[in-house]
Amino acid sequence: QVQLVESGGGLVQAGGSLRLSCAASGITFRLSAMAWYRQAPGKQRELVAAITSAGITSYADSVKGRFTISRDNAKNTVYLQMNSLKPEDTAVYYCAAGTNSDYYRKDYHHWGQGTQVTVSS
């Protein structure tokens, strides 16, 4: 059974930083593509960042230069380092896992339960 467990969300002031973690089990992590999505109230889910099994990364334009996705295959964990946070980054952040083909399709098979990030102005 695939499990993706996010952690690291919370309340932070604008300009601050947070690091989200997603611990994966039930998948062959080193072969999996991983991604972070977010969904703000009343808005569609948005792909924030993704990383292939080989470490190729991509980012939404709104977070380029501020967010960094990384992975630790020894720990079966993917991270999202978020710097220079803005109030518009407020959302529930979800971890997703899939194949490298899913990375290019931007469509993932497995999802975590989400973690809330709130940025105050």
Side-chain angles (χ1 to χ4, degrees), residues 32-50:
S32 297
M34 303 296 294
W36 288 96
Y37 282 75
R38 68 186 179 187
Q39 187 165 22
K43 294 190 176 181
Q44 287 190 329
R45 186 177 61 190
E46 172 189 25
L47 177 58
V48 175

Side-chain angles (χ1 to χ4, degrees), residues 16-86:
S17 298
L18 282 175
R19 188 177 82 155
L20 305 183
S21 300
C22 172
S25 60
I27 60 173
T28 306
F29 184 84
R30 63 182 176 83
L31 298 180
S32 297
M34 303 296 294
W36 288 96
Y37 282 75
R38 68 186 179 187
Q39 187 165 22
K43 294 190 176 181
Q44 287 190 329
R45 186 177 61 190
E46 172 189 25
L47 177 58
V48 175
I51 185 167
T52 68
S53 61
I56 298 169
T57 59
S58 60
Y59 297 91
D61 288 343
S62 58
V63 307
K64 280 181 182 176
R66 301 189 297 122
F67 290 11
T68 303
I69 188 171
S70 62
R71 62 190 298 155
D72 185 337
N73 289 342
K75 295 183 178 180
N76 285 5
T77 300
V78 63
Y79 303 98
L80 186 68
Q81 178 66 44
M82 305 186 294
N83 298 329
S84 303
L85 283 161
K86 304 176 181 179

